[in-house]
Amino acid sequence: MQRIDDGMGDRNTDADRRIAQDDEVERLRHTLDEEQQRHLRLRADFDNARRRASRELEAARRDGQRGALLPLLPVLDSLERALAAGSTDQDFYEGVAATHRLFVNALHEAGADPIDAIGQRFDPKVHEAVATLPSGSVEPGFVVREVRRGWRLGDELLRASQVVVAAPREAAGSWR
Amino acid sequence: MGKLIGIDLGTTNSVVAVMEGGTPVVIPNQEGSRLTPSVVAFTKDGEILVGQIAKRQAVTNPENTVFSIKRFMGRRYDEVQQEVKLVPYRVVKAPNGDARIEIRGKQYSPPEISGMILRKLKEAAESHLGEKVTQAVITVPAYFNDSQRQATKDAGKIAGLDVARIINEPTAAALAYGLDKKTDEQIAVYDLGGGTFDISILEIGQGVFEVKATNGDTHLGGDDFDQRVIDWIADEFKKEQGVDLRRDRMALQRLKEAAEKAKIELSSTLQTEINLPFITADQTGPKHLVMTLTRAKLEGLVADLVERTVEPCRQAMKDAGVTAADVDEVVLVGGQTRMPKAQDLVKQLFDKEAHKGVNPDEVVAVGAAIQGGVLGGDVKDVVLLDVTPLSLGIETLGGAMTVLIPRNTTIPTRKSEVFSTASDNQTAVDVHVLQGERPLAKDNRTLGRFRLEGIPSAPRGMPQIDVAFDIDANGILNVSAQDKASGKQQQIAITASSGLSKQEVDRMVKEAEANASDDARRRQEIELRNQTDTLVYSTERALAEHGAKLADAERSTVEQALNEAREAVKGDDIERIRRSQETLSRASKTLADAVYRESRGGGSGPQSSGAPKNGDVVDAEFRNIDDRKP
């Protein structure tokens, strides 16, 4: 009994040591797991932050461009209205028309291009309807008339076109 | 846990914001805009458009384009007759009495439509954060009742959002300015938005916000200001050129934009040029519109609009039981509060500068995001509590309303009371849940009713029925009744099936106040009497001291006025007292003038100009005493 007990005691200390080692290994493994998880998370966070930062940088650049270009568009609108009104002075008219071309080219170089509207199917993503008009020749839902030209900046909308949309005969209304 | 976003679900525009690294950030939508129009459109092809895109196609599709849906949230069809007339889409009555929107033969509930707006904002937040968003704090006007709040929660649910908390818009605005750090202060939140005006008086105590009173005008906002400018420009142009631009839809479009631009510019400059070349043309050729609009002129054009906000402010202060001097902080909300004239008015009304710095279009969403941060654990130390707008109770013997939770009780709250049967051997009781301020059940609004059966037969008054009202942090009411003897229990959750219009709330409160107005009149009479009395006293003293400095005629005028006032105060004729007080205060002024004349001539000290000042001091004391009353 006694010996066996002693033997057991030896084995116990052995076992104790092994258990303690196992515990330590388990603890370290757990810590490692945790740290790896944290590391992964941090890397993911960093990755997300970097991606977002580059996206935000791009957005900020676009915002800056928009801010610079948008106020110029009404000036162009007026120039176009002047051309539409015409002039009896042919030379003066030519000069204004040439100025207008310069303006449009300058916008193009800055990355802005006009949006097609007339004859297109009305698309609220780029067109803003200001009125509807029953039309015999144009299919309902298509743009009859462009009131103000729309512009895009790259593949983003800079300013929606303002358009009149062909309506079926009954309804020609205005909202607001 | 994912991020909690904050959403200002507005009548005209909505905004979403989130806490990032301890700072609230407004999230732009997919189109790059920080404001998303609260507009939903249903196209012929079955597509659902939300926001700016929906707004752009509204003209082509008016009956299927829904805006101002907030005005229908949690409302019954019968309550919104006025609103129905103002919208081009079809509003119908649902079988349960709620207002529904009918689009191409299909009915949508207002929470469904709002849900579409919320979904778009949620998606914008997800694409901004790069992670899924499942929880949100959504704001509502302080006057929203249970069903309107519940409808807003439902809208969140429909959008796939777990609504962690519904908070009041003014509370959110106060939070955006960090006012939760204050203790025992009164806060006025002046919200002049695109189409609605709201004034709220809040009290902050130990990090808890309480809404003490709200008032406003559901149809007053920046759009009305724009219209005044449009009309002015059009009228001027008509005078000069004989053409009414309002009849030319293309010209009107430009005019609208120019008017809004001019209005905005005049918030920072004193005058602006409205320049619209080639605005129209007639046989004589093209016509140009070039005008100058000054800030002063603009202020003249909208003076009555600004003025319309005064009375609601006064009323709100009165309801909250505070004076301008008690208000410690003023917060401005809504784009129209950028107008200096509006800011001046607010300063004049509350006698202090308003908080500035947070964009007034975004301040509510920013506050909601901060609250989201609190709930998500990002921000600490803020508890938000709101109050019930109307009293809640049950019908008791004789058709009386017995209030369990009085109006303006801070929620969440729980209150229970023991009731009994009204007749012998009564085995069932009807629990009729009511909301309102009137003493009789029939004059108040029914929120719901249920029946508790199985009460053991007993003489009347014997059974004990415990009725408990429980309002959670979102203002949703649970009512339960339990018979103590049998343990039988029955309960009801009051949710979105019905709601009160603001007008109804106003009416109910007013009706209840009508009785109180007699008291108010009596109090006014007492005050007038006291003031007159004080004036008589101070004038007598001044006359005794300085009477010699007056000419005989002047002296007898003052004496006559004194006698009349003394007599008037003894009587009951309030008008006579008022008149005599006015006459006396004019007369005492001639006395003061004479004294002043004398003292300047004689070079004596300033103490001799005392008479009218005395009156003022006493007056101030009156006010102070009033103020100290709880």
Side-chain angles (χ1 to χ4, degrees), chain A residues 52 55 78 81-82 122 124-125 127-132 145 147-148 157 160 162 164-165 173-176, chain B residues 20 39 47 49 53 55-60 62 67 88 127-129 249-250 253-254 256-257 277-278 286:
Chain A
R52 210 168 73 214
R55 217 172 42 218
S78 278
R81 289 201 182 88
F122 170 69
K125 286 190 191 68
H127 301 148
E128 177 187 350
V130 295
T132 58
R145 196 176 143 195
V147 178
R148 194 189 72 178
L157 182 69
Q162 286 183 342
V164 179
V165 181
S174 142
W175 177 57
R176 272 191 198 232
Chain B
E20 277 189 316
V39 183
E47 211 185 337
L49 306 174
I53 295 177
K55 204 171 161 181
R56 282 196 203 117
Q57 59 80 64
V59 169
T60 65
F67 57 91
S127 98
H128 174 86
L129 293 167
R249 196 172 282 163
M250 307 305 134
Q253 185 67 33
R254 288 176 75 192
K256 274 183 186 162
E257 286 161 22
F278 303 97

Side-chain angles (χ1 to χ4, degrees), chain B residues 116-300:
Chain B
M116 292 167 188
I117 300 166
L118 291 174
R119 181 170 292 276
K120 183 179 169 74
L121 299 173
K122 173 182 182 252
E123 286 166 358
E126 286 176 342
S127 98
H128 174 86
L129 293 167
E131 60 182 275
K132 277 242 156 279
V133 172
T134 54
Q135 286 188 292
V137 170
I138 304 178
T139 60
V140 296
Y143 60 78
F144 257 30
N145 63 26
D146 300 341
S147 69
Q148 289 170 298
R149 281 162 203 266
Q150 183 59 45
T152 307
K153 269 190 112 171
D154 290 347
K157 218 174 294 165
I158 292 167
L161 285 168
D162 168 26
V163 180
R165 188 68 71 84
I166 295 278
I167 64 171
N168 288 326
E169 289 161 7
T171 305
L175 212 48
Y177 281 105
L179 299 183
D180 50 293
K181 308 284 185 300
K182 308 274 184 181
T183 327
D184 295 330
E185 286 203 344
Q186 311 291 328
I187 305 167
V189 181
Y190 180 98
D191 179 351
L192 189 54
T196 55
F197 169 65
D198 293 306
I199 175 74
S200 315
I201 307 289
L202 312 180
E203 186 176 69
I204 171 83
Q206 314 294 345
V208 176
F209 284 99
E210 237 184 69
V211 179
K212 295 185 77 183
T214 70
N215 211 300
D217 188 329
T218 52
H219 290 277
L220 172 67
D223 298 344
D224 302 307
F225 287 62
D226 291 350
Q227 192 57 46
R228 290 294 170 84
V229 181
I230 293 169
D231 285 336
W232 177 75
I233 300 174
D235 290 343
E236 291 292 303
F237 190 78
K238 193 173 178 200
K239 252 186 270 169
E240 284 168 28
Q241 307 280 352
V243 180
D244 190 348
L245 296 175
R246 278 163 294 211
R247 294 177 172 212
D248 177 344
R249 196 172 282 163
M250 307 305 134
L252 183 60
Q253 185 67 33
R254 288 176 75 192
L255 202 55
K256 274 183 186 162
E257 286 161 22
E260 195 190 346
K261 184 162 174 276
K263 181 189 84 174
I264 290 168
E265 280 174 1
L266 288 175
S267 288
S268 51
T269 62
L270 288 174
Q271 66 172 47
T272 184
E273 185 180 59
I274 296 158
N275 184 344
L276 295 169
F278 303 97
I279 185 72
T280 185
D282 63 9
Q283 308 88 313
T284 64
K287 292 197 181 301
H288 314 300
L289 188 158
V290 181
M291 286 177 197
T292 299
L293 180 59
T294 62
R295 187 186 284 180
K297 180 70 199 171
L298 171 67
E299 288 174 356

